[in-house]
Amino acid sequence: ILNVEQSPQSLHVQEGDSTNFTCSFPSSNFYALHWYRWETAKSPEALFVMTLNGDEKKKGRISATLNTKEGYSYLYIKGSQPEDSATYLCALIDRGSTLGRLYFGRGTQLTVWP
Amino acid sequence: DTGVSQDPRHKITKRGQNVTFRCDPISEHNRLYWYRQTLGQGPEFLTYFQNEAQLEKSRLLSDRFSAERPKGSFSTLEIQRTEQGDSAMYLCASSLDRGFATNEKLFFGSGTQLSVL
């Protein structure tokens, strides 16, 4: 079992603020790290899949970095908007398990106030 | 691409009853996954299929749980003799294995919310 920790558990920001969350994990012995966004009453939606140390991904105002040596990934949102309100989930595929098994953190719940 | 669909969206049942959920993945996706999320937790892996073959089952999947993907297309998850602890959101996801499975993102359905009274 791979222990994936996310912080903070919840976050409230004002529209226009920039914010970031952390995903930490104990080992660099994994295949890939995934970030998903899950809006209430909708399906979790993939944001990024990262595999290499130093990976940086960007999608509009959202970006992510991966540091496998120190065991963390950051997700950044620049200029938060109310539509960014969602739970952001981090998940890993561990080398010790089947490729089909993702280990998820508990998520960071983001609320952006207008 | 119509996305992953799950049916029903909500299910309320009495303890001891059997329930079955259905998942229709994206049509060309050969991998299909079931996850379960309970309150305050992240999604937990239950099982996954490569085409019609069930390749892995979590220890969470007790003898009361069974999953099938008979023709490598849709999948069903059945829970027999439901217990209150089975109350959760059951998520289905699919992906396309193009030989670089580690890079493939999952496409999730909206889930089936099960409440066992």
Side-chain angles (χ1 to χ4, degrees):
Chain A
I1 295 179
L2 191 61
N3 192 27
V4 180
E5 298 284 340
Q6 289 190 248
S7 62
Q9 185 175 340
S10 66
L11 198 54
H12 296 254
V13 301
Q14 287 293 129
E15 182 176 356
D17 288 350
S18 293
T19 187
N20 66 84
F21 329 131
T22 304
C23 173
S24 59
F25 44 91
S27 169
S28 63
N29 194 31
F30 66 89
Y31 280 121
L33 183 143
H34 295 218
W35 280 101
Y36 290 87
R37 175 172 60 198
W38 194 357
E39 296 179 62
T40 303
K42 295 188 178 179
S43 312
E45 174 195 3
L47 291 172
F48 306 113
V49 178
M50 296 186 286
T51 56
L52 300 174
N53 185 46
D55 248 356
E56 292 187 20
K57 301 276 187 177
K58 187 174 182 181
K59 183 178 180 180
R61 294 179 292 99
I62 304 176
S63 60
T65 61
L66 176 63
N67 185 324
T68 61
K69 292 181 180 178
E70 297 187 25
Y72 65 83
S73 174
Y74 290 146
L75 187 78
Y76 301 91
I77 303 179
K78 183 178 178 182
S80 303
Q81 300 296 309
E83 57 264 31
D84 295 328
S85 297
T87 296
Y88 291 82
L89 292 165
C90 167
L92 279 83
I93 300 177
D94 182 29
R95 283 191 187 275
S97 63
T98 179
L99 294 180
R101 181 189 289 245
L102 277 173
Y103 290 91
F104 281 87
R106 295 184 179 186
T108 292
Q109 187 172 1
L110 174 67
T111 303
V112 183
W113 299 101
Chain B
D1 180 354
T2 57
V4 178
S5 62
Q6 292 188 245
D7 183 69
R9 290 292 301 270
H10 304 274
K11 179 70 177 179
I12 300 173
T13 190
K14 292 183 179 179
R15 189 177 55 179
Q17 298 294 305
N18 299 343
V19 294
T20 299
F21 311 141
R22 177 179 170 123
C23 172
D24 286 90
I26 293 171
S27 57
E28 66 267 27
H29 284 184
N30 50 4
R31 288 179 169 234
L32 186 146
Y33 315 80
W34 286 97
Y35 283 82
R36 178 175 73 182
Q37 187 191 34
T38 53
L39 200 61
Q41 302 295 320
E44 296 173 294
F45 172 82
L46 292 178
T47 188
Y48 105 96
F49 294 84
Q50 175 95 9
N51 299 309
E52 66 275 10
Q54 189 173 20
L55 296 187
E56 186 173 355
K57 289 168 51 174
S58 164
R59 285 175 293 176
L60 292 174
L61 218 63
S62 74
D63 291 345
R64 297 184 297 106
F65 289 70
S66 61
E68 293 183 342
R69 194 183 183 197
K71 297 182 179 178
S73 56
F74 73 92
S75 175
T76 57
L77 178 68
E78 181 183 14
I79 309 174
Q80 296 182 325
R81 304 182 303 282
T82 52
E83 302 173 356
Q84 288 183 324
D86 297 332
S87 296
M89 170 75 79
Y90 290 83
L91 290 164
C92 176
S94 68
S95 69
L96 179 63
D97 178 11
R98 287 180 275 213
F100 299 97
T102 60
N103 296 342
E104 297 299 331
K105 59 185 178 182
L106 271 59
F107 292 79
F108 281 89
S110 298
T112 294
Q113 181 67 54
L114 173 66
S115 298
V116 182
L117 305 178

